[in-house]
């Protein structure tokens, strides 16, 4: 499985990828910036970095991006979040689950449901059809925690330092994102390949 090969390589790089920070804006950014011009970027790349660092920095950068949304919930909405439920691709790798627990500084759990959105729709249908009296009753009966990962304090401290840098990169690069988009749009009809 290529996914397993990649995450095994990522395990060889240290927490924080020795300063290599990936901005995961491959299709622009929606939250918290709402910027279609945002671009993906490897910041801090040096000769000391290997494939292992690059792979791990991608996992870390995606997780920093998800922490941006979590910070809105914790800070702007003032809701405490002590536990995160991971499903889908991000839940497959023990390494990525640990990275998430450390970056979020919260317990991360997985559940017995692989395709959570579809299962959630099925639960709603079950409540609507009268199979269950409430969503709470259905989830209590059907959804079970299958694993728990606690954050590692030292890793959480390191990730918090890198996350602060990550947060400063978007506003610093925003003018350049816009310039690149403008040039690409202007030249897109005039490019000759080959």
């Amino acid at each position: 499985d290529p996914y397993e090969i990649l995450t095994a390589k990522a395990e060889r790089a240290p927490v924080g990828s020795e300063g290599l920070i990936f901005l995961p804006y491959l299709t622009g950014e929606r939250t918290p910036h709402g910027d279609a011009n945002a671009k993906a970027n490897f910041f801090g790349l040096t000769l000391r970095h290997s494939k292992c660092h690059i792979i791990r920095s991608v996992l870390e950068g995606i997780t920093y991006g998800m922490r941006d949304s979590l910070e809105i919930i914790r800070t702007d909405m003032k809701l405490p979040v002590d536990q995160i439920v991971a499903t889908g691709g991000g839940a497959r790798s023990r390494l990525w689950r640990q990275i998430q627990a450390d970056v979020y500084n919260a317990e991360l759990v997985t559940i017995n449901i692989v395709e959570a959105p579809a299962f959630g729709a099925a639960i709603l249908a079950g409540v609507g059809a009268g199979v269950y009296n409430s969503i709470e009753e259905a989830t209590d009966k059907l959804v079970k925690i299958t694993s728990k990962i606690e954050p590692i304090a030292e890793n959480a401290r390191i990730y918090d330092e890198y996350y602060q840098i990550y947060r400063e990169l978007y506003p610093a690069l925003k003018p350049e994102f816009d310039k690149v988009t403008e040039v690409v749009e202007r030249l897109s009809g005039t490019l000759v390949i080959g």
Side-chain angles (χ1 to χ4, degrees):
D1 181 354
Y3 185 83
E4 296 301 323
I5 293 168
L6 290 171
T7 54
K9 284 183 184 283
E11 284 187 90
R12 295 186 217 147
V15 169
S17 301
E18 295 187 65
L20 181 60
I21 299 173
F22 176 67
L23 300 181
Y25 311 142
L26 290 164
T27 58
E29 177 62 354
R30 291 170 301 283
T31 303
H33 307 299
D35 184 356
N37 292 341
K39 308 285 187 266
N41 193 324
F42 284 100
F43 176 82
L45 184 62
T46 68
L47 289 175
R48 76 181 297 130
H49 296 112
S50 67
K51 289 178 189 176
C52 301
H53 293 89
I54 292 169
I55 297 165
R56 186 178 186 113
S57 75
V58 168
L59 298 174
E60 292 169 343
I62 291 167
T63 307
Y64 294 146
M66 291 187 292
R67 180 172 166 182
D68 278 344
S69 296
L70 181 60
E71 290 302 315
I72 291 169
I73 294 167
R74 284 178 168 163
T75 306
D76 298 350
M77 299 171 76
K78 305 213 182 315
L79 296 172
V81 178
D82 300 320
Q83 185 184 71
I84 307 289
V85 178
T87 63
R92 286 177 56 192
S93 162
R94 175 146 176 81
L95 171 67
W96 202 356
R97 292 193 314 267
Q98 185 66 62
I99 289 170
Q100 290 178 68
D102 295 342
V103 169
Y104 306 146
N105 198 17
E107 178 183 67
L108 188 116
V109 300
T110 57
I111 56 176
N112 60 323
I113 311 304
V114 177
E115 296 298 331
F119 195 80
I123 285 176
L124 293 175
V127 173
V131 175
Y132 299 102
N133 295 318
S134 68
I135 294 170
E136 292 80 8
E137 177 190 344
T139 56
D140 286 347
K141 288 184 177 180
L142 300 172
V143 179
K144 305 296 179 213
I145 291 174
T146 57
S147 74
K148 292 183 181 186
I149 295 182
E150 295 295 329
I152 299 168
E154 179 61 14
N155 293 358
R157 185 193 64 73
I158 292 167
Y159 279 132
D160 195 55
E161 283 191 59
Y162 282 124
Y163 176 69
Q164 299 312 316
I165 296 167
Y166 170 89
R167 289 196 58 161
E168 293 171 11
L169 290 172
Y170 171 81
L173 293 171
K174 164 102 177 101
E176 307 315 313
F177 294 153
D178 292 341
K179 286 179 192 174
V180 167
T181 299
E182 186 274 322
V183 169
V184 168
E185 288 174 355
R186 184 169 38 81
L187 296 178
S188 65
T190 62
L191 293 176
V192 177
I193 300 174

